[in-house]
Amino acid sequence: MTADAFVGKAVPPEDTVRKVTGTALYTYDWEVPGTLYAKLVTSTVPHAKIVRISLESAKAVPGVVAVLTGKDMPFRVGMYAGDRDLLAVEKVRWAGHPVALVVAETLEAGERASELVDVEYETLPAVFDPVKAMEADAPLLHERMEEYKHAPVFYPVPGTNIANRFRLVHGDVEKGFGQADELVEEEFRISHVSHAYLETQNVVAQAYRDGTYEIWTSAQSPFVVRQIISESLNIPYNKITIRVPFVGGGFGGKAGLQWEALAAMASKAVGYRPVKLVLSRKENFSSGASREGVVANVKAGFTKDGKCVAYKVRFVLDAGAYADYTVNVSRAMGYSAEGVYEVPNVQCESLAVYTNKVPTTAMRGFGYSESNWVLEQVFERAAKKLGMDSAKIRRVNLLRPGESHTATGEKVREDVGDPRKVLQTVLEGIDWDGKVERPSEPWKVRARGFALCVKGPSQPPNASSSAILKFNEDSTIDLVLGTGNFGQGTATAISQMVADQFGVAVEKVRVDPVRDTGKSAYTWQTVGSRGLFTDGVATLRACEDAKGQILDLASQVMRLPKSELEVAEGAVKAKGRPWLSIPLRELVFGYVYPNGNTVGGPVIGRGQYTSSLNTYLDPQTGQGVPTIFHTFGGTAVDIELDLVTGAIEVKKAVQVFDVGKAINPLLLKMQLDGGFIMGMSIALFEKIKFDEQGWVMNPNFTSYYLARMKDVPKDFVARYVETPQFDGPLGARGIGELSMISVASAISNAVFRSTGVKLNNLPMSPEEVWAAISSQKPELLAKAMESYGRVETAVKARQ
C-alpha cells in the first residue's frame, strides 16, 4: 500500500453491512435476564403544584413492581444548567412533564398501571411566549434558580425566566448606524422542530449492590452522560459504566443526559434488577427535548458601497421548561451573529428563556442555523435596497484570512479556509450569471438564491480527546475511540488515516461499534462536528507513538539508525534500500530471534488532543476565542414557487464547503446531500405545533411532516474546497453539522430576489408563503390567479 492509498478515496462506511442486513444491535435490542419495564406517567397540565399523587390503584395491577415519584429521587441534573429533575418534584412545568414511573414485569402491565396513577394539581398561571416570559409579572418556572449548579460561562438571571444571557459587544454599533446610508430592520420567528431520529430515546440500566451501575443507552456522548450522573447524583465516576451500541440517529437530541439517571435510580429502587425504558414516538415529542423556537429582532446598517458597518441583533430563545444545553445554544447563537463577515460594529444579546413548553436541547447546527437565517436574509435585503448584486455585497464584507477579526476579537488564522473561493464555487455550481429556466406553469416563478455560512465546535477550552491503537498478533489494528459513529462516518475516515500511516489495507483497521466508558478512549462529546478534528489528531499522535516503538525495535534488530528507517507497506523498511525490511507482524508483539530470544513486546500507541488557544468569553463583551476551527461553506438553490398555493419546490441544490482536506469524498457527499435534505425539510415543512395549554399537537411522523422522496431535488451538486489547516488531521476540518446551516436562508433569498416577498417565519410552509405573498404583493397573487384561471378554463373547454 502506498502512503496515500486510502486518504482521499471513497471508502464505504464500515458499519454499512450490519445496518443494511439488520444485524446491527441497538439499545432497543438489548435484553438482560430479569429485565423490568418502565413506563412514564406525565402531567396533563402545563404549570401546577402537585397536591397529591395516588398510587394505590396502579400498584394493584398484576405484574407491577413499583411506582416511583419525584420524592423517591429528588435530584437535579444537568451539565451546563442543573435545572432538571428526574421526576417532577413539588410542581410540573409543562404538559408532558413526567410525574411518576411505573416499573413492571411486562410493558403491558406498566402501560395499564400508568393510566391508573391519579394526580391532583393546583393550577398555576402558565407562559408560552418567550418574550412575554421576560416581563416582570410573568409566572416563574424556576423560583429557586440561584440554587442550581451552572457552568461558569453561563449567566442566568434569578428572579426571572432568563436561563442565560449572553452579550457580544464589538466596536460602537450606534456610531456605525450613524455612518450607514441604508438600514435594514426586521423581526424573524423560528418554530420548534423535532430531531426526528428514527430510534426513540431508550435506556437499559442495572444497579448493583456494590454501588456500581451499568447503563446501555442510545446516546451521542457516553462520557458526558457519566459525568452528569456522577456530578448530579454524587456517584464516583469509576462506579458508572455507560455503553452505547449502534445509535439510530441523534442530531444533537441525544447529546446530553436523557433518561439514564432515572432508569439507574429505578433499578436501585426495585431491588437491583435491570430496568428498561423505551419512549414511544408520542412520548419522545411531548416529554423528550426538541430544538428551541426563536424570536429575533435585528437592525443593520450598510454604506452605499455595500459595507456592513453596524449589526445589532437580539435573539430570544424559547427554551421550554428545562434548558441545560440550550443555554449553550444561546451562547453560540450570540457569538456567531456576524457569520462569515467582518463587521466593525456588532452588538448582540442572546437570551435563553424558560416557558411552559417541552424542554429544548442541542440540534445539528447548534444555534448557527438560526443566526444564519437572520443574517443572510439581512444581507440579501440590503443588496436589493442598494441595487447591488447578491454576490458583490458578500465579497465586500467577507472575512479575510490572516487579516480580519471576528466580532469576538479573534484574529482569523491564515489557514482558516478560503471563503472567497467557496463563494465563487457556489456561484459556478448554480450558474449564477446564466439564464434562469422558464417555470413549468405561468403562475409559477423560477428563481435562484444562495447563502454563506461558517461554524466551529462550541466547546469549553479544556475539552479533550484521546485515542488508543493496539496491534494484534497478525498486525491487524484495533483502534479504540470514544467518538460516536451514527451516520457521520467519522470512524471510517479515521481508520483510513490509520491505514495509510502503516501502509496496510483499511480492512485491517477495526473500530468497535460499542462505545464503553470503561474501555473506550476518552473524548469529551460527539457534538459540534469536532470528532474528525479532535479524535483524528489524537489518533495520528497515537500512530506516531506506535511507530516510534516499532522503529526503536526495528533499529535494534536491523542494526540501522532509527532515522534511516520508515514504516511503509505494512513493514519497516530501510530508506533507499526497501529490500531491507521486516513485516510489522514480526515486530508488533516483539521480535523473536532464530534461537528464541525475544525483544520488545505488544505495541500500544496512545495520543491525545486538547485545544491550546481557546478561551472563555468575557461575560460583558463576549470577547475571546470560542472555537478550535472555522469551516466555511455555502448553499445555492434553484427553486420553483407556486404563487397560487405558496408551495416551494427545490429543483437543484448546490453545496460547497472548505473542508481543509477531504479524507473520504463519499462520506463528504453523503453529509452534504443528507444535510441539505434535513435543512430543506426544516425550512419548508417541519414545525412542532402547540395548543393553548402547551400540548404538542402533532407528536408523530404523520402529522409532523418530514420531507419525503417526492420533495427531494433531483439535481444535487456537492463540491468542496481544500485549504488545509496545519493543526488539523492531515489538514482536515469538520463538516457534519454545517451542511444544513445555510439551506433555509438560500431558499428564502431565492424567493425574495425573484418576487420581493420577505419570508420572516420558519417553516416556509405553503400557508406561510401564500400569506406573505397575499399581504406583501397582492398584485402578484392576482396576476397568478388570473393565469391559473385562464388555464383552468381552457382545460374545461377541451373537456
Side-chain angles (χ1 to χ4, degrees):
M1 300 292 174
T2 60
D4 58 351
F6 291 103
V7 169
K9 304 299 189 298
V11 176
E14 84 293 340
D15 55 7
T16 300
V17 173
R18 290 199 193 186
K19 287 182 175 178
V20 300
T21 58
T23 54
L25 292 178
Y26 297 80
T27 301
Y28 180 86
D29 300 312
W30 220 257
E31 293 291 342
V32 181
T35 295
L36 299 174
Y37 299 87
K39 188 68 180 178
L40 296 174
V41 179
T42 60
S43 167
T44 56
V45 294
H47 199 197
K49 292 181 180 178
I50 299 172
V51 177
R52 175 185 55 83
I53 303 179
S54 178
L55 308 176
E56 289 73 18
S57 297
K59 289 181 176 180
V61 174
V64 169
V65 177
V67 184
L68 306 172
T69 69
K71 291 182 179 180
D72 299 305
M73 45 188 78
F75 303 104
R76 290 214 170 272
V77 296
M79 181 177 181
Y80 299 120
D83 58 1
R84 173 182 160 193
D85 48 31
L86 301 183
L87 295 170
V89 178
E90 296 182 357
K91 73 173 188 174
V92 296
R93 293 178 171 86
W94 84 95
H97 192 164
V99 295
L101 184 76
V102 178
V103 185
E105 297 286 352
T106 66
L107 181 58
E108 293 75 14
E111 289 177 336
R112 286 197 302 273
S114 68
E115 297 173 354
L116 299 176
V117 174
D118 182 33
V119 186
E120 180 183 343
Y121 298 105
E122 179 185 324
T123 303
L124 297 170
V127 60
F128 305 106
D129 184 297
V131 177
K132 291 181 180 178
M134 293 192 295
E135 295 176 357
D137 59 350
L140 289 181
L141 274 77
H142 297 269
E143 296 87 347
R144 297 195 292 272
M145 193 195 304
E146 67 277 1
E147 299 176 8
Y148 298 170
K149 292 182 180 179
H150 288 87
V153 297
F154 301 105
Y155 307 99
V157 184
T160 76
N161 287 313
I162 299 173
N164 183 53
R165 170 179 281 149
F166 174 82
R167 296 184 180 94
L168 177 65
V169 179
H170 177 67
D172 185 339
V173 74
E174 296 304 327
K175 180 180 177 181
F177 287 134
Q179 298 168 348
D181 298 305
E182 291 285 355
L183 298 177
V184 177
E185 293 188 70
E186 299 287 354
E187 179 175 282
F188 296 89
R189 287 183 176 263
I190 301 172
S191 298
H192 287 71
V193 296
S194 170
H195 301 81
Y197 35 72
L198 290 183
E199 181 194 21
T200 61
Q201 296 178 357
N202 64 110
V203 59
V204 180
Q206 168 76 74
Y208 293 98
R209 296 183 186 278
D210 63 358
T212 60
Y213 296 83
E214 291 185 359
I215 301 171
W216 294 260
T217 180
S218 179
Q220 293 178 218
S221 308
F223 289 97
V224 87
V225 171
R226 183 183 66 172
Q227 174 188 341
I228 297 172
I229 293 176
S230 175
E231 299 292 340
S232 302
L233 276 59
N234 196 29
I235 303 171
Y237 279 68
N238 68 340
K239 296 287 188 180
I240 306 165
T241 300
I242 308 295
R243 296 193 178 99
V244 177
F246 283 87
V247 176
F251 308 113
K254 298 176 182 176
L257 187 74
Q258 301 167 76
W259 309 95
E260 296 87 357
L262 175 60
M265 292 298 98
S267 175
K268 181 179 179 180
V270 297
Y272 301 96
R273 291 180 63 180
V275 172
K276 185 172 188 175
L277 174 62
V278 180
L279 266 61
S280 67
R281 183 63 61 186
K282 179 180 179 181
E283 288 171 327
N284 217 106
F285 268 94
S286 58
S287 298
S290 69
R291 189 182 81 175
E292 83 294 332
V294 180
V295 179
N297 293 91
V298 62
K299 178 180 178 181
F302 293 80
T303 57
K304 291 178 181 179
D305 60 0
K307 179 64 180 174
C308 182
V309 291
Y311 189 75
K312 182 179 181 180
V313 62
R314 184 180 81 158
F315 299 110
V316 180
L317 285 70
D318 187 344
Y322 295 131
D324 183 22
Y325 268 63
T326 305
V327 296
N328 201 16
V329 175
S330 67
R331 176 176 173 270
M333 196 180 299
Y335 72 63
S336 67
E338 87 284 13
V340 300
Y341 307 113
E342 183 172 27
V343 182
N345 305 291
V346 178
Q347 181 178 317
C348 174
E349 182 181 43
S350 187
L351 304 137
V353 181
Y354 291 118
T355 65
N356 294 112
K357 291 180 182 174
V358 293
T360 58
T361 190
M363 188 176 187
R364 189 178 191 179
F366 207 77
Y368 283 76
S369 300
E370 298 91 305
S371 62
N372 182 272
W373 162 254
V374 175
L375 176 71
E376 285 295 312
Q377 291 198 84
V378 165
F379 268 73
E380 196 66 40
R381 294 171 194 184
K384 193 151 195 168
K385 277 193 169 189
L386 294 166
M388 184 176 291
D389 180 72
S390 303
K392 183 178 179 180
I393 197 171
R394 265 78 175 191
R395 289 193 184 98
V396 169
N397 291 282
L398 278 174
L399 288 164
R400 296 183 179 277
E403 300 177 20
S404 298
H405 288 79
T406 68
T408 69
E410 176 189 0
K411 187 168 184 177
V412 180
R413 56 189 297 160
E414 292 180 345
D415 59 356
V416 69
D418 192 339
R420 282 166 177 75
K421 191 171 182 179
V422 168
L423 172 59
Q424 188 58 37
T425 309
V426 168
L427 299 177
E428 292 169 359
I430 201 66
D431 191 18
W432 184 251
D433 295 321
K435 186 177 180 181
V436 178
E437 290 189 30
R438 291 175 59 85
S440 60
E441 302 289 353
W443 58 87
K444 295 182 179 181
V445 174
R446 198 72 180 259
R448 296 175 183 147
F450 74 90
L452 301 178
C453 67
V454 66
K455 188 184 184 301
S458 181
Q459 62 176 50
N462 64 340
S464 59
S465 295
S466 60
I468 301 169
L469 188 147
K470 302 189 298 180
F471 279 92
N472 299 308
E473 293 88 335
D474 60 354
S475 76
T476 58
I477 299 169
D478 284 327
L479 175 59
V480 185
L481 297 174
T483 192
N485 197 49
F486 27 87
Q488 323 94 302
T490 307
T492 301
I494 295 178
S495 295
Q496 290 173 249
M497 294 192 293
V498 172
D500 281 2
Q501 289 293 306
F502 294 96
V504 300
V506 72
E507 293 80 13
K508 289 193 173 184
V509 183
R510 179 182 182 271
V511 178
D512 195 301
V514 177
R515 302 297 183 267
D516 184 323
T517 55
K519 299 175 182 177
S520 299
Y522 175 83
T523 194
W524 176 64
Q525 292 194 67
T526 306
V527 295
S529 306
R530 68 185 291 275
L532 178 63
F533 191 97
T534 60
D535 295 67
V537 171
T539 297
L540 290 176
R541 290 174 178 172
C543 290
E544 289 302 312
D545 184 35
K547 285 196 289 186
Q549 298 171 50
I550 293 168
L551 291 173
D552 282 339
L553 178 59
S555 175
Q556 178 181 346
V557 173
M558 299 174 73
R559 300 176 184 178
L560 287 171
K562 183 178 178 180
S563 60
E564 294 182 14
L565 300 175
E566 64 181 348
V567 177
E569 298 180 319
V572 174
K573 298 185 177 186
K575 296 176 182 178
R577 291 174 287 180
W579 53 87
L580 298 178
S581 68
I582 301 178
L584 286 179
R585 67 177 301 154
E586 295 182 15
L587 294 167
V588 294
F589 262 68
Y591 182 80
V592 181
Y593 287 99
N595 68 353
N597 288 166
T598 304
V599 290
V603 172
I604 301 174
R606 83 284 185 270
Q608 58 81 29
Y609 172 85
T610 303
S611 63
S612 55
L613 294 176
N614 275 33
T615 68
Y616 294 121
L617 302 183
D618 184 273
Q620 300 302 320
T621 65
Q623 298 299 291
V625 181
T627 191
I628 54 177
F629 63 81
H630 301 278
T631 299
F632 293 101
T635 303
V637 293
D638 183 342
I639 68 164
E640 188 170 73
L641 167 64
D642 189 326
L643 296 170
V644 173
T645 66
I648 297 172
E649 179 184 358
V650 180
K651 296 289 190 179
K652 180 179 181 179
V654 177
Q655 294 263 68
V656 180
F657 288 87
D658 190 336
V659 300
K661 171 67 177 178
I663 305 296
N664 186 323
L666 173 63
L667 297 178
L668 177 55
K669 178 169 173 53
M670 290 166 61
Q671 286 297 316
L672 298 187
D673 291 355
F676 181 88
I677 294 170
M678 185 175 184
M680 182 196 71
S681 186
I682 291 172
L684 299 181
F685 309 119
E686 296 185 42
K687 178 180 182 179
I688 296 177
K689 299 177 182 178
F690 300 94
D691 69 7
E692 65 280 358
Q693 290 297 303
W695 267 112
V696 176
M697 298 172 63
N698 54 338
N700 54 64
F701 290 159
T702 300
S703 52
Y704 181 89
Y705 189 89
L706 295 162
R708 271 58 166 176
M709 287 301 295
K710 68 180 180 64
D711 304 308
V712 175
K714 294 181 174 59
D715 190 359
F716 275 105
V717 176
R719 297 181 181 175
Y720 54 86
V721 173
E722 292 181 296
T723 307
Q725 182 165 321
F726 92 91
D727 59 346
L730 307 183
R733 287 183 286 272
I735 183 63
E737 289 187 89
L738 285 102
S739 53
M740 65 166 280
I741 288 177
S742 51
V743 175
S745 309
I747 294 172
S748 59
N749 285 346
V751 172
F752 181 72
R753 285 188 71 245
S754 59
T755 66
V757 174
K758 297 189 287 188
L759 300 177
N760 286 20
N761 300 330
L762 279 181
M764 295 174 281
S765 63
E767 299 87 350
E768 185 70 38
V769 175
W770 188 91
I773 297 170
S774 179
S775 62
Q776 297 175 37
K777 299 284 183 177
E779 71 284 0
L780 199 61
L781 179 59
K783 186 177 179 180
M785 292 297 292
E786 182 181 339
S787 298
Y788 180 82
R790 284 199 300 268
V791 172
E792 189 176 50
T793 300
V795 171
K796 288 180 178 178
R798 287 197 297 270
Q799 294 174 342

